[in-house]
Amino acid sequence: MKVSDSELKLLEVLWQQSPLTVGQVIQRVQINAKWHENTIKTLLMRLTKKQAVKRHKDGRRYFYQANVEKDTLLSEETQGFLAKFFGGRVSPFIAHFNKTNKLSSDEIKELEAILAKMKQEND
Amino acid sequence: MKVSDSELKLLEVLWQQSPLTVGQVIQRVQINAKWHENTIKTLLMRLTKKQAVKRHKDGRRYFYQANVEKDTLLSEETQGFLAKFFGGRVSPFIAHFNKTNKLSSDEIKELEAILAKMKQEND
DNA sequence: ACTCAACAACTACACGTGTAAACTGCAAGC
DNA sequence: GCTTGCAGTTTACACGTGTAGTTGTTGAGT
């Protein structure tokens, strides 16, 4: 499921809470982005068309909800990103990240904790 | 510096070796991608226009070379990616990655090694 | 001198995306 | 009943991108 940057913002809203009407989506999106409501309607349309969002009728209006899971989309995007820039592997990514962005020692600790948990699960 | 997917492939070639003439670029790119040579020329043009590539004349032809460093571009893309999907932080990314993609124990070891090195450098 | 391959430069064209305006109901309030 | 506001739908339009075709130029080989 390929969604554009703007479309993603709408999905974020729908992942947080759903189903929502257009009006509710507009409200929530506009907290962070100053888009015209028609823009948001267009994006919702496009998402519906590409089946990233589904809707069901209630009287004369629809309730919208995400039709892709967040984790699914994150995985796809992550894979694409790693493939495109780091040969599909995660450790070159981390290595690069540290080279230029310098992780704080707190972040390093956090990563260590995550790794430790992974090792357990892997047993 | 924002470059498209296709343009990135050309940069990869130029990062490996440069300067190169159009013909040389075409040859190298075509090892991996079956693009028409005019496509490659167009992409080189666009890269030149957006100053991701620079060229210098030699007689009636040009030699091309990257004008962005690979590390710079990777950093930008990495930041963009993390911001877009993981609140700009790297550990949620790793956590997610493990949740769906399961790192092999070799990869976990590799990451541990990288972390260990980071800690040293951080001292 | 003529031809041809390689290069430069310009043009093309469809599709996705960002960003909306315009038009069409209808339901609720005045 | 007429107006207004919101939902839905359709249309618009510029810009980037993928993917080339066309035209003009020239150095090198015959």
Side-chain angles (χ1 to χ4, degrees):
Chain A
M1 184 57 51
K2 187 79 189 123
V3 302
S4 80
D5 288 16
S6 304
E7 289 165 352
L8 180 65
K9 299 271 176 64
L10 300 210
L11 281 180
E12 299 274 13
V13 165
L14 290 171
W15 280 327
Q16 271 205 342
Q17 190 185 353
S18 71
L20 297 177
T21 65
V22 168
Q24 294 172 319
V25 172
I26 290 176
Q27 268 185 34
R28 278 153 226 245
V29 168
Q30 285 183 336
I31 294 172
N32 300 304
K34 68 276 161 269
W35 292 334
H36 195 282
E37 48 168 79
N38 283 338
T39 301
I40 298 171
K41 286 192 216 169
T42 300
L43 292 174
L44 261 187
M45 270 295 177
R46 290 181 183 166
L47 282 168
T48 304
K49 192 153 299 173
K50 58 171 88 162
Q51 311 208 50
V53 157
K54 68 178 168 220
R55 59 185 198 175
H56 60 272
K57 215 169 207 130
D58 168 82
R60 56 182 219 83
R61 48 195 74 170
Y62 292 100
F63 279 92
Y64 295 82
Q65 59 196 302
N67 196 31
V68 246
E69 281 179 66
K70 181 165 181 174
D71 272 354
T72 305
L73 200 146
L74 288 188
S75 294
E76 288 171 8
E77 295 285 349
T78 294
Q79 287 220 340
F81 171 75
L82 289 180
K84 186 168 167 192
F85 295 107
F86 296 98
R89 311 220 21 257
V90 77
S91 25
F93 163 77
I94 297 292
H96 166 83
F97 191 82
N98 186 60
K99 191 160 51 164
T100 50
N101 297 52
K102 274 305 173 214
L103 291 165
S104 73
S105 52
D106 277 0
E107 285 172 311
I108 293 185
K109 272 185 204 135
E110 218 176 314
L111 280 178
E112 281 180 334
I114 294 176
L115 279 186
K117 197 145 48 113
M118 287 183 192
K119 274 174 86 168
Q120 278 192 356
E121 288 165 8
N122 248 359
D123 286 344
Chain B
M1 185 56 52
K2 188 74 191 129
V3 301
S4 79
D5 287 16
S6 304
E7 289 166 353
L8 179 65
K9 299 274 176 63
L10 299 211
L11 280 180
E12 298 275 11
V13 165
L14 291 171
W15 281 327
Q16 271 205 341
Q17 190 185 352
S18 71
L20 296 177
T21 65
V22 168
Q24 293 171 318
V25 172
I26 290 176
Q27 268 185 32
R28 276 153 227 243
V29 168
Q30 284 182 337
I31 295 173
N32 300 302
K34 67 279 160 271
W35 293 334
H36 193 281
E37 49 167 80
N38 282 339
T39 300
I40 298 171
K41 286 191 211 168
T42 299
L43 291 174
L44 261 186
M45 269 296 176
R46 290 181 183 167
L47 282 167
T48 304
K49 191 152 300 169
K50 57 171 89 163
Q51 311 207 52
V53 156
K54 69 179 170 223
R55 58 186 198 174
H56 61 271
K57 214 170 206 123
D58 169 80
R60 56 179 222 82
R61 48 194 76 171
Y62 291 100
F63 278 92
Y64 293 82
Q65 61 196 299
N67 194 32
V68 246
E69 281 179 67
K70 181 165 182 174
D71 271 355
T72 305
L73 201 146
L74 288 188
S75 293
E76 288 171 10
E77 295 285 349
T78 294
Q79 285 220 340
F81 171 76
L82 289 180
K84 186 168 167 193
F85 295 107
F86 296 98
R89 313 222 17 258
V90 76
S91 25
F93 163 77
I94 297 293
H96 166 84
F97 190 83
N98 186 60
K99 190 158 57 161
T100 50
N101 296 51
K102 277 301 172 215
L103 290 166
S104 72
S105 51
D106 276 1
E107 284 172 311
I108 293 184
K109 272 186 204 133
E110 218 174 315
L111 280 178
E112 282 179 334
I114 294 175
L115 280 187
K117 199 147 44 118
M118 287 184 192
K119 274 174 84 169
Q120 278 190 357
E121 287 165 8
N122 248 359
D123 285 343

